[in-house]
Amino acid sequence: MRGMFRFLFSRLISTLIVVLGVSTLVFSLIHLVPGDPVEVMLGESAQAADRDALRAALGLDKALHVQYAQYLKGLAHLDLGQSMHSRRPVAELLAERIPATVALSLAALAIALLIALPLGVVAAVRRDTIWDFSASGFALLGVSIPNFWMGPLLILGFSLGLGWFPVSGRDAPGSLVLPALTLGTSMAAILSRMIRSTLLDVLGEDFIRTARAKGLSRFQVVVGHGLRNALLPVITLVGLQLGTLLGGAVITETVFSWPGVGLLTIEAIQGRDYPIVQASVLLISLTYVLVNTMTDLIYAWVDPRVRLGPDS
Amino acid sequence: MKVWLPAGVLLLWALLALFGPWLPLSPDQIDLQRILAAPGDTAWLGADDLGRPVWDRLVIGARTSFLVAVWVVILSAGIGAFLGTLAAYLGGWWDLLTVRVIDIFLAFPGILLAIALAGILGPGVDNVIVALSVVGWVGYARLARAQVLSLKHRDHVQAAVALGAGRGRIVVRHLLPLAAAPLIVEATFGIAGTVISEAGLSFLGLGVQPPAASWGSMIRDGTRYMLVAPHLVLAPGIALMLVVLSVNLLGDRLRDRLDVRAEHG
């Protein structure tokens, strides 16, 4: 139990450092705007009074360390500032978009697992056969076809061609299918290779030989002993791949005009609405950090070797 | 599959990119007679919504993706390998600091930080290179650090220390040559990743600006005419896929040849 607490403590400390670092980097983004961000946002013809008002609203008229302190204080109160254009609180705008991104990510994750698990298992069990080679061909294609091309191809085939699904948006029934498929297949490509190699490692262990030797069926050995023990590393891999998923969601949402946080980010970049850009980048990154920390903790809770480490 | 096929694709890509400006092309030639023309008689890969020949624009796009990929990989591999080696070799608080910074950069999922940076810095090829390098160095730094950490206690390094070799000499002559193989493999896959990222940023409107061409911006512009002129989306997409697929295939070969164990798969 002491080992668990020590692990928890050190893991939480490093997560805190990362969260603080990510927030600082996001804070500094607006200071990277070439020239005067206020002028970039309002245009050159703006009145001096309007500029000063905006500068004050953004807090850019204060010293850097005061700005930073205010920014952190705002974050602690979930105050993410105001949209430049609609004047609405950024937190509110984000909250409206979160359900769409969560729905898309979960659907994509489900599709990725549905494809990657059977593919990875078959490739490992039937190693170096036509099955394995086909699976690795699929994986190679999957990582070589970017979302922003896969999406239009699916629209061309299934929306414009067959008319099965809507081209874009979220209102029509079935509108989730194509974006989720776009995002899910690219993740499935990477995951299937990882599942294959993890399962191959496990299938080489002594207890698998024992299970075979005592006369268990092939299915029992692979699923009951092999897959069961390969599942934990696979969970970690899924957690790490979530980064690819969330990053890919930004582009996929743009392709399909899917009204999520990613599309909001891109719209904000095009409209030079920097408070929204900062807040959404922060939200997506912190989600990723928290999910990974949780994955780590679950792993450590289930597998004592992680929290105790090789040396204790 | 034979190596010459992907190698040929990449050679063609590089040659078109390097010598494109001297080829008899007219990528900006607006021709109202052949707006959205299908591949065939007037232009062999068809023409876009302004009647500009798709093939000519593909060649110019190849130059964009090639130059961005080369610059980003050189910059990020150079900076990353340097900082990673330094961290592992010096150790102590310097190492701790580097590891923390790496952790912070890795906390931004996928291409998100590059999108935000390119968006803030403003459109343009230079800013794309900066954004992708700022994001890209981390992977090389982590790899170089891990390599040097495992190498620096080897006997031959200890021997060099005992013989009085300076720090610089030890790093350059005794550590980097052994750490190079995995970095080279990483850089190869890095080319594929950069080509996709550059096209992605251009797809979002954050890369090259019109009338210049990138495969990503060509795909984006093409999606508006997908029903009447699918070749506008298909041609740049196929070019992109062929290049990325070839780099990945060669990367796999190189990894086997240099006997670098893949992290996964």
Side-chain angles (χ1 to χ4, degrees):
Chain A
M1 221 45 223
R2 251 186 76 199
M4 187 69 196
F5 277 123
R6 237 176 50 198
F7 176 81
L8 258 178
F9 187 70
S10 71
R11 199 65 190 74
L12 285 180
I13 291 288
S14 50
T15 303
L16 271 178
I17 294 176
V18 167
V19 168
L20 197 66
V22 167
S23 314
T24 309
L25 214 71
V26 168
F27 164 77
S28 57
L29 275 179
I30 195 159
H31 297 281
L32 292 176
V33 176
D36 181 357
V38 169
E39 195 174 304
V40 171
M41 278 184 268
L42 291 180
E44 281 175 17
S45 57
Q47 302 286 323
D50 290 340
R51 288 188 196 181
D52 290 343
L54 178 58
R55 208 180 305 275
L58 287 173
L60 289 173
D61 52 343
K62 304 191 180 66
L64 198 60
H65 66 276
V66 179
Q67 286 181 40
Y68 184 59
Q70 277 183 344
Y71 165 81
L72 287 185
K73 202 175 140 197
L75 281 190
H77 292 95
L78 290 182
D79 174 9
L80 302 168
Q82 252 188 9
S83 159
M84 307 302 319
H85 297 310
S86 64
R87 306 270 167 198
R88 292 178 56 200
V90 172
E92 214 177 283
L93 290 168
L94 279 176
E96 284 172 11
R97 301 294 193 105
I98 289 173
T101 297
V102 171
L104 173 60
S105 306
L106 288 182
L109 186 63
I111 288 175
L113 285 174
L114 273 176
I115 299 175
L117 268 177
L119 211 61
V121 171
V122 167
V125 174
R126 301 244 182 271
R127 190 184 184 176
D128 292 333
T129 63
I130 184 80
W131 296 95
D132 189 13
F133 297 138
S134 313
S136 82
F138 166 81
L140 196 63
L141 269 180
V143 296
S144 302
I145 298 181
N147 292 338
F148 54 87
W149 193 49
M150 176 90 175
L153 284 187
L154 290 179
I155 292 176
L156 193 60
F158 292 103
S159 303
L160 301 176
L162 297 168
W164 288 357
F165 305 107
V167 173
S168 67
R170 200 195 170 195
D171 304 323
S175 55
L176 179 59
V177 177
L178 293 187
L181 209 58
T182 303
L183 199 52
T185 40
S186 58
M187 189 184 179
I190 308 170
L191 264 186
S192 67
R193 298 317 283 169
M194 293 176 164
I195 290 173
R196 172 184 180 272
S197 71
T198 309
L199 189 58
L200 275 179
D201 282 349
V202 172
L203 288 180
E205 299 262 355
D206 286 344
F207 67 85
I208 294 291
R209 203 179 45 198
T210 310
R212 280 215 179 109
K214 73 181 181 187
L216 291 185
S217 74
R218 195 186 174 97
F219 181 82
Q220 280 173 312
V221 171
V222 170
V223 174
H225 289 70
L227 200 56
R228 199 174 152 187
N229 284 288
L231 225 48
L232 266 179
V234 166
I235 289 174
T236 312
L237 296 177
V238 171
L240 285 172
Q241 280 306 306
L242 196 77
T244 322
L245 192 76
L246 289 172
V250 178
I251 289 178
T252 308
E253 285 179 6
T254 311
V255 172
F256 291 94
S257 300
W258 183 257
V261 179
L263 186 61
L264 180 72
T265 315
I266 299 302
E267 289 166 348
I269 286 178
Q270 281 157 358
R272 303 194 184 285
D273 203 337
Y274 297 125
I276 297 185
V277 178
Q278 284 180 303
S280 50
V281 169
L282 192 65
L283 174 75
I284 298 175
S285 307
L286 291 189
T287 309
Y288 179 47
V289 172
L290 290 183
V291 168
N292 267 320
T293 306
M294 263 153 46
T295 321
D296 268 13
L297 294 181
I298 294 172
Y299 200 143
W301 179 53
V302 181
D303 188 344
R305 280 175 304 186
V306 177
R307 60 175 187 259
L308 294 174
D311 50 0
S312 55
Chain B
M1 193 182 294
K2 292 275 187 287
V3 180
W4 57 263
L5 198 62
V9 171
L10 293 185
L11 190 68
L12 186 66
W13 179 48
L15 287 177
L16 287 176
L18 291 173
F19 298 107
W22 290 278
L23 294 177
L25 299 169
S26 48
D28 300 328
Q29 180 71 51
I30 295 174
D31 184 346
L32 302 179
Q33 296 297 316
R34 56 176 187 200
I35 283 179
L36 300 180
D41 9 310
T42 47
W44 80 273
L45 272 183
D48 69 3
D49 53 316
L50 296 174
R52 298 174 297 189
V54 170
W55 164 253
D56 299 28
R57 297 189 65 72
L58 270 189
V59 173
I60 299 304
R63 186 171 170 84
T64 308
S65 72
F66 183 81
L67 291 182
V68 170
V70 168
W71 272 110
V72 168
V73 168
I74 288 177
L75 282 175
S76 47
I79 297 170
F82 177 74
L83 289 178
T85 307
L86 207 65
Y89 192 68
L90 295 180
W93 65 268
W94 182 251
D95 185 39
L96 203 67
L97 185 71
T98 310
V99 171
R100 287 299 180 207
V101 172
I102 289 177
D103 279 349
I104 290 167
F105 272 84
L106 287 177
F108 292 93
I111 193 178
L112 182 70
L113 185 59
I115 290 176
L117 271 175
I120 297 265
L121 291 172
V125 177
D126 296 355
N127 288 338
V128 167
I129 293 174
V130 171
L132 291 178
S133 304
V134 166
V135 178
W137 67 276
V138 184
Y140 301 98
R142 204 168 55 147
L143 195 60
R145 180 180 170 271
Q147 286 293 311
V148 172
L149 272 185
S150 74
L151 288 172
K152 75 173 188 179
H153 294 299
R154 290 251 186 109
D155 287 345
H156 77 277
V157 181
Q158 299 298 320
V161 173
L163 285 170
R167 281 183 171 176
R169 187 183 167 83
I170 290 175
V171 169
V172 173
R173 297 293 302 271
H174 298 284
L175 291 175
L176 279 184
L178 288 173
L183 284 170
I184 290 170
V185 172
E186 177 88 356
T188 308
F189 289 115
I191 292 177
T194 311
V195 168
I196 287 188
S197 299
E198 180 275 318
L201 290 177
S202 293
F203 177 85
L204 294 173
L206 302 172
V208 298
Q209 292 306 291
S214 152
W215 293 342
S217 62
M218 290 175 75
I219 293 177
R220 182 198 49 190
D221 296 342
T223 51
R224 270 177 281 164
Y225 307 97
M226 219 150 44
L227 203 53
V228 281
H231 64 277
L232 294 184
V233 169
L234 292 178
I238 289 171
L240 184 66
M241 188 185 73
L242 280 180
V243 166
V244 174
L245 202 59
S246 303
V247 176
N248 281 332
L249 277 170
L250 284 186
D252 278 344
R253 276 302 173 88
L254 199 64
R255 185 171 57 196
D256 296 344
R257 179 65 68 86
L258 293 175
D259 196 24
V260 175
R261 181 171 156 41
E263 258 180 68
H264 307 281

Coordinates of all heavy atoms in Angstrom, one line a residue, chain A residues 100-101 164:
Chain A
A100 N -20.5 17.3 -28.9 CA -20.3 16.8 -30.3 C -18.9 16.1 -30.4 O -18.8 15.1 -31.0 CB -20.4 18.0 -31.3
T101 N -17.9 16.8 -29.8 CA -16.5 16.2 -29.9 C -16.5 14.9 -29.1 O -15.8 13.9 -29.5 CB -15.5 17.2 -29.4 OG1 -15.5 18.3 -30.2 CG2 -14.1 16.5 -29.4
W164 N -26.2 7.5 -48.9 CA -26.5 6.9 -47.6 C -26.5 7.8 -46.4 O -27.2 7.7 -45.5 CB -25.6 5.7 -47.4 CG -25.9 4.6 -48.3 CD1 -26.8 4.5 -49.2 CD2 -25.1 3.3 -48.3 NE1 -26.8 3.3 -49.9 CE2 -25.7 2.6 -49.4 CE3 -24.0 2.8 -47.7 CZ2 -25.3 1.3 -49.7 CZ3 -23.5 1.6 -48.0 CH2 -24.2 0.8 -49.0

